[in-house]
Amino acid sequence: MTHEIAVIPGDGIGREVTPAAVEVLEALPVDLEFVHAEAGDATLEETGEALPAETRAVAEEADATLFGAVGETAADVILPLREVVGSFANVRPARAYPGLDAVKPETDLVFIRENTEGVYSGIESEITEGVRTLTRVVTEEASREIAEYGFRYAQRNGYDDVTVAHKANVMRETDGLFLETAERVAEERDADYDTALMDALAMHLIIHPEDYGVVVCPNLAGDMLSDLAAGLVGGLGLLPSANIGHENALFEPVHGSAPDIAGQGVANPAAMLFSAAMLLEHLEYPDEAARLREAVEATLAEGPHTPDLGGDAGTEDVTAAVLDRL
Ligand code: ATP
């Protein structure tokens, strides 16, 4: 069965690393058809809209979306696109790779971040001058969905440790519901798990990341803890992510459009290529996903390297090396 993939490169280095991912996917024995669409700062300038209706439609109809990065218009593009794909889980692996300088080489973490509510509910208002409020929404349904996804992910991917991050001692109602729902899900599945206060967890992740595996988090905590873990493994050029929906999903590097290096052809394509591997896994091509991941990991171990990893190779050199290994 042919899977249709929406390809949205966006702005800046998104336009450099996304074609690398498409080239690599085309080299694998998988039945994918690519449909290209535009979004981002340049699209806003050209069309008056950062996310044109046709791009939304392409993402909606596709089986999965590969998304590069956008600049200033990120909130107008990626948040609605996550909604378009009905994403309830944001999956962010942070893994250290052999041969690279990581602060903590033993790091192998996967953050499973609730992706629809919490502090990012978007319900904000100014009640009077100088006083603004935000409504933090937590539902049992979304908490159950993310916990079930987290435990399933751990089981499928061989992680023994599942930690539920929360701050239920302070946000008693909202994180109380998140925590008690996750605990119920663990009991139903007869799964081992730990719980951790998210602030203490931030410290423990830095000191002993090897004690953790899958970390199930409310929205904001997942955003912050996964960026913190990025620092442990060698930076943004390496980290992929997936936004998983029931029928659809979107895969993107954690990094942004990196205007400081855009147009120079030196962006590290690894984060995007690992995102492409997550896409293959999602579409149930586990062997091809593993092949791609191994080829990228071997290239990270042996080079060539882009300047962010201390080398002087370009995006195309690294992509060519990955293609050779495939
Ligand atoms: P945006 O506004 O789009 O989020 P940004 O520069 O604020 O852009 P990132 O794009 O995430 O945020 O970049 C942060 C830093 O990490 C920049 O210095 C950038 O050059 C570097 N960086 C990010 N991604 C890569 C990559 N793939 N290869 C090399 N360096 C990268």
Side-chain angles (χ1 to χ4, degrees):
M1 183 186 115
T2 306
H3 287 109
E4 200 175 290
I5 310 299
V7 179
I8 307 176
D11 300 310
I13 64 167
R15 306 200 77 78
E16 298 165 39
V17 295
T18 309
V22 172
E23 204 180 335
V24 165
L25 287 172
E26 279 176 335
L28 285 163
V30 289
D31 195 2
L32 306 181
E33 192 181 303
F34 298 96
V35 185
H36 294 264
E38 291 296 341
D41 299 3
T43 309
L44 174 67
E45 237 167 69
E46 275 162 35
T47 68
E49 278 180 300
L51 181 63
E54 41 194 279
T55 302
R56 283 179 89 105
V58 167
E60 209 161 6
E61 278 158 31
D63 296 300
T65 295
L66 256 188
F67 180 82
V70 293
E72 298 297 315
T73 51
D76 304 318
V77 175
I78 192 63
L79 296 183
L81 269 181
R82 284 179 185 155
E83 257 172 50
V84 164
V85 303
S87 164
F88 62 88
N90 184 205
V91 182
R92 293 184 168 196
R95 209 163 278 148
Y97 297 102
L100 294 184
D101 239 0
V103 180
K104 289 282 182 179
E106 57 279 30
T107 308
D108 182 358
L109 298 163
V110 184
F111 294 89
I112 308 288
R113 168 189 166 200
E114 199 288 317
N115 213 14
T116 61
E117 53 185 34
V119 175
Y120 292 172
S121 65
I123 308 170
E124 290 192 291
S125 57
E126 179 171 31
I127 40 178
T128 181
E129 212 191 317
V131 184
R132 299 178 191 183
T133 61
L134 160 72
T135 303
R136 180 169 199 258
V137 178
V138 173
T139 64
E140 185 178 343
E141 192 186 347
S143 303
R144 169 167 283 277
E145 214 155 38
I146 197 70
E148 281 176 345
Y149 189 86
F151 282 109
R152 216 165 43 236
Y153 185 97
Q155 195 180 23
R156 275 196 198 158
N157 294 280
Y159 286 91
D160 295 330
D161 298 304
V162 177
T163 304
V164 179
H166 68 95
K167 189 76 182 166
N169 57 337
V170 176
M171 293 180 280
R172 290 184 184 146
E173 289 298 331
T174 49
D175 263 11
L177 179 59
F178 185 83
L179 177 62
E180 77 199 35
T181 307
E183 290 184 310
R184 205 170 310 127
V185 168
E187 266 164 42
E188 286 164 13
R189 302 177 68 90
D190 202 17
D192 283 337
Y193 71 102
D194 270 321
T195 65
L197 291 169
M198 55 178 78
D199 45 354
L201 180 60
M203 181 190 72
H204 287 299
L205 283 174
I206 295 276
I207 301 174
H208 286 301
E210 72 280 7
D211 289 350
Y212 300 90
V214 167
V215 186
V216 177
C217 313
N219 205 337
L220 173 65
D223 203 8
M224 298 184 73
L225 293 175
S226 60
D227 268 28
L228 174 143
L232 294 177
V233 300
L236 284 170
L238 299 174
L239 295 188
S241 78
N243 295 278
I244 305 290
H246 291 291
E247 320 238 314
N248 202 326
L250 180 146
F251 301 83
E252 56 173 332
V254 169
H255 65 72
S257 65
D260 54 336
I261 57 165
Q264 298 171 24
V266 295
N268 186 349
M272 190 71 199
L273 298 179
F274 283 133
S275 304
M278 292 179 87
L279 176 144
L280 289 174
E281 222 153 36
H282 180 75
L283 296 177
E284 310 222 341
Y285 288 115
D287 297 342
E288 290 77 6
R291 263 178 77 187
L292 174 51
R293 233 183 353 255
E294 280 159 22
V296 180
E297 283 177 23
T299 307
L300 288 174
E302 292 156 26
H305 290 150
T306 42
D308 57 309
L309 300 179
D312 56 9
T315 311
E316 284 177 7
D317 305 319
V318 175
T319 309
V322 172
L323 283 166
D324 271 354
R325 289 191 167 93
L326 280 180

